[in-house]
Amino acid sequence: MANKKSPTKKLLKILGIIVVLIVVLGVVAKFAGWLDGGPTEKSVETEIIELRTITQIVSASGRIQPEVEVIIRPDVSGEIIELAVEEGDFVRAGDLLVRIKPDIYQAQIDNLNANLLTQQSRMEQARANMLQAEVEYEQNKQLYDQDLISDLEYKQSLNNFEAQKANFKAAEYQIESARAQLRQAEEELEQTVIRAPQDGTITQLAVEQGERVLGQSQMAGTEMMSVARLEQMEIEVDVNENDIVNVSLSDTASIEVDAYPNRSFEGVVTEIANSAEVTDQGSAEQITNYKVKIRITTPHNLDQSSADFLAINVSENPEQNFVPNFKPGMSATVDVKTNTVYNVVAVPIQSVTVRDFATDTTTTETDASSIRNESENRLGSQEDFRKVVFVNEEGTAKRVEVETGISDNTFMQIMSGLDAGQEVVTGSYRVLSRELQDGDKITVSNNNN
């Protein structure tokens, strides 16, 4: 019974092996293109090249701050007896802000006035002594000329006259010193009244009436308040060292403020730092940034009674009537427009990819040898990466080496290699970055073909 089944089992095994071989050969033939006469076409997306205007952007983030902000510190110490403002008040230049108790400074002035009168009296006494010494000297000189007095007496009268003149001159100097001390005391008395140095808003108030403050004659005084021009706001951002070379003074910028989503404001670069700020110095995470200030040129923080506010509200468009109210410390993002080129050949950024020409199987042996020599000389290896774009030529992908220029968020300038009107492959990313090769058959999946 077992001997009769043996040939059948062998036949089934042979048939199974044959079926498996046929399936394997079918799969291989399918992928190798033996069954459809060639390799499988790759599905791609394309776009027609156009001449475009491209603006290079440098993006950075920072915080809004007043362009002009003055910190008020007292020059003299004392108790605040009057605080004339509150935080948020708008003041004009010369308005009263703080009055410090003046009693001690007034008493000092009275004392110095008395001292000045004393010094004046001493000067008059010194003048009288000088005049008396001068008379005695003149008399003795006449007597000496007639040999009626000794040489010693004559010289004593001369020395006394010279001494009295010196005393009188010293008295004059003492009066000037007293007057200078009096002027200083009077200035200190004036400094007990603190007025606004400019038009602006009280953005910070750190003291209360009755507090004692420290003057800044010998050290930093008490920071009492800040006065800022809120209608002149700016944004201070950190720009990386790789981008700072592209930023110039007067470059325009587009500003987005977190507090006002879906709105864009205008700005201009007013200041670029010359010194870098380095964080994590010496480590792998070292970052080198430069401070850049961007003035907000869109009208903002306007007084409703101002001429600028009334001029803006003449428009019937509510969007144009909008006047933002920026506050110090608000977060913002800026896009600085560093360079613009007009009517240039441009392709989508994703169209530009990189290929290693040194490992290119379609390169001739002579070209491959020259590429190897060149890349070995430059890099010490056999890699030769170049920027390329794939062009659709009647259903075939043609690889074109290109030279690129500036780019914005969407398009990249092509300096050489392509012309307007050509159809370039734009996707998919997987096909462009890894799979697509020069000479591959492609089928376009969009409406550009």
Side-chain angles (χ1 to χ4, degrees), residues 4 17-18 31 75 86 94 133 204 220 260 264 284 304 315 331 340 362 395 399 415 429 440:
K4 290 181 180 181
I17 294 173
I18 293 173
F31 282 97
D75 291 315
E86 296 180 356
Q204 182 183 8
Y260 294 100
S264 180
Q304 294 188 3
S315 172
S331 300
T340 300
T362 63
R399 186 184 65 188
M415 308 286 289
Y429 173 79
D440 284 353

Side-chain angles (χ1 to χ4, degrees), residues 104-117:
I104 186 173
Y105 301 101
Q106 184 61 59
Q108 186 176 2
I109 288 176
D110 294 341
N111 182 41
L112 290 174
N113 271 321
N115 180 57
L116 177 60
L117 294 175

